[in-house]
Amino acid sequence: MLHINAIKALKNKRKIVMLTAYEYITAFLLEKAKVDIILVGDSLGMVFQGRKETIPVTVEDMIYHTKAVKRGAPDTFVITDMPFMSYQASVADAVRNAGKIIKQSGANAVKIEGGKEIIPQVKAVIGIGVPVMGHIGLQPQSVKKYGGYPVMGKTEDEEKELIENARALEKAGVFAITLEKVKASAAAKITKAVSVPVIGIGSGAKCDGQVLVTHDMLGFFPDFTPKFVKKYDNLGPRALKAIVKFSDDVKSGKFPSKKQSY
Ligand code: KIV
């Protein structure tokens, strides 16, 4: 398993591969594929729980899913998202909840959304010995403030602000930063501005690594695919076909056959 120093050392050497998992079998496959990092993202609120946004996800949800992921991928570095309101209100909340996630779930690190405004929390969590990945650019926990999921870093001011946030997080001690949905030219500058790896999602090719939601890149969702997702398979429609076939076979008596009987 990579540890945080090995992850940091990958910057300027080779691209870092991160994918999401919320349960055992996906984690098992990701470990088999030797991805560098598994993220138990609070995107599970949408992908697993069928919600519209990540806001309702709880610390208990994150712990439950991370435990299943660690069982499937015991030898892969696992990062767990700190969900909405587990750290924003106070440094004490951040420390207590990060400690609880690490202690109860077996995660190797936590990811926290936010820039300069959450530096005290980031420093305090690192202070108790928990590695922190930052997350700037589009922050899905702030969806209500944005009124949607806009591209970030489109103006010079936004770009400057993002660079300042990345530098503040680096100074606070994060071992890496997730950069979400940032204009590619701005993302390239942000990646250059810090010495820790910047892992992009929808932020162009110049980041130090890439992360996607595994269910998106496997093509589980036929109805909507964000522009930044490349589908490597079409598992949703393929699974649907198999389910319909099973259903037909049961109804027609083709399943079970002698082969599946004792
Ligand atoms: O929650 C998540 O899956 C994430 C990724 C989209 C980076 O934060």
Side-chain angles (χ1 to χ4, degrees):
M1 185 193 311
L2 292 175
H3 52 84
I4 58 168
N5 291 333
I7 292 167
K8 278 160 120 176
L10 288 175
K11 187 167 176 112
N12 300 322
K13 289 220 172 71
R14 73 147 168 89
K15 301 279 186 182
I16 297 167
V17 181
M18 180 158 103
L19 280 169
T20 59
Y22 316 122
E23 36 63 53
Y24 174 85
I25 188 63
T26 306
F28 173 83
L29 293 172
L30 296 185
E31 178 155 301
K32 267 217 169 286
K34 295 188 167 46
V35 304
D36 296 311
I37 302 171
I38 294 177
L39 173 67
V40 186
D42 59 359
S43 53
L44 67 83
M46 285 123 112
V47 180
F48 193 88
Q49 299 175 336
R51 300 179 189 276
K52 289 259 177 296
E53 48 198 34
T54 61
I55 306 289
V57 176
T58 65
V59 168
E60 283 67 31
D61 290 337
M62 298 311 301
I63 291 170
Y64 174 86
H65 286 277
T66 304
K67 279 182 180 171
V69 165
K70 280 305 293 187
R71 282 182 215 117
D75 295 323
T76 304
F77 194 86
V78 170
I79 302 175
T80 297
D81 263 341
M82 292 199 60
F84 185 60
M85 289 317 290
S86 66
Y87 62 91
Q88 285 91 342
S90 70
V91 166
D93 275 357
V95 167
R96 210 170 288 119
N97 286 315
K100 187 171 166 181
I101 287 170
I102 293 291
K103 192 168 178 173
Q104 295 185 12
S105 75
N108 302 97
V110 295
K111 175 161 78 59
I112 303 182
E113 287 184 18
K116 281 176 269 183
E117 72 286 359
I118 50 108
I119 293 303
Q121 283 92 327
V122 170
K123 278 188 180 164
V125 171
I126 295 169
I128 60 159
V130 176
V132 175
M133 168 179 267
H135 181 151
I136 54 172
L138 179 78
Q139 295 163 39
Q141 290 175 22
S142 300
V143 61
K144 295 204 191 300
K145 179 176 81 181
Y146 308 135
Y149 296 93
V151 177
M152 313 299 272
K154 285 192 295 193
T155 65
E156 258 181 47
D157 280 354
E158 275 180 24
E159 189 180 288
K160 194 166 155 264
E161 174 96 10
L162 281 166
I163 291 174
E164 283 170 11
N165 279 328
R167 286 190 171 139
L169 286 167
E170 177 186 24
K171 201 161 163 229
V174 299
F175 68 92
I177 296 170
T178 289
L179 190 66
E180 180 160 352
K181 215 170 173 184
V182 170
K183 191 178 163 193
S185 54
K189 288 183 197 164
I190 296 157
T191 302
K192 258 199 167 161
V194 291
S195 65
V196 293
V198 172
I199 303 189
I201 171 162
S203 299
K206 293 284 164 66
C207 297
D208 300 306
Q210 296 292 327
V211 53
L212 282 178
V213 168
T214 302
H215 289 68
D216 284 343
M217 72 90 171
L218 290 179
F220 269 107
F221 300 107
D223 298 337
F224 173 70
T225 312
K227 175 180 160 71
F228 60 78
V229 171
K230 180 173 172 183
K231 279 191 188 176
Y232 285 82
D233 207 320
N234 220 7
L235 291 195
R238 287 215 286 150
L240 180 61
K241 242 185 172 172
I243 294 161
V244 169
K245 181 94 177 63
F246 170 75
S247 179
D248 289 347
D249 281 0
V250 170
K251 287 178 194 156
S252 69
K254 269 194 192 158
F255 177 85
S257 70
K258 261 198 175 154
K259 213 173 158 190
Q260 289 100 26
S261 302
Y262 297 99

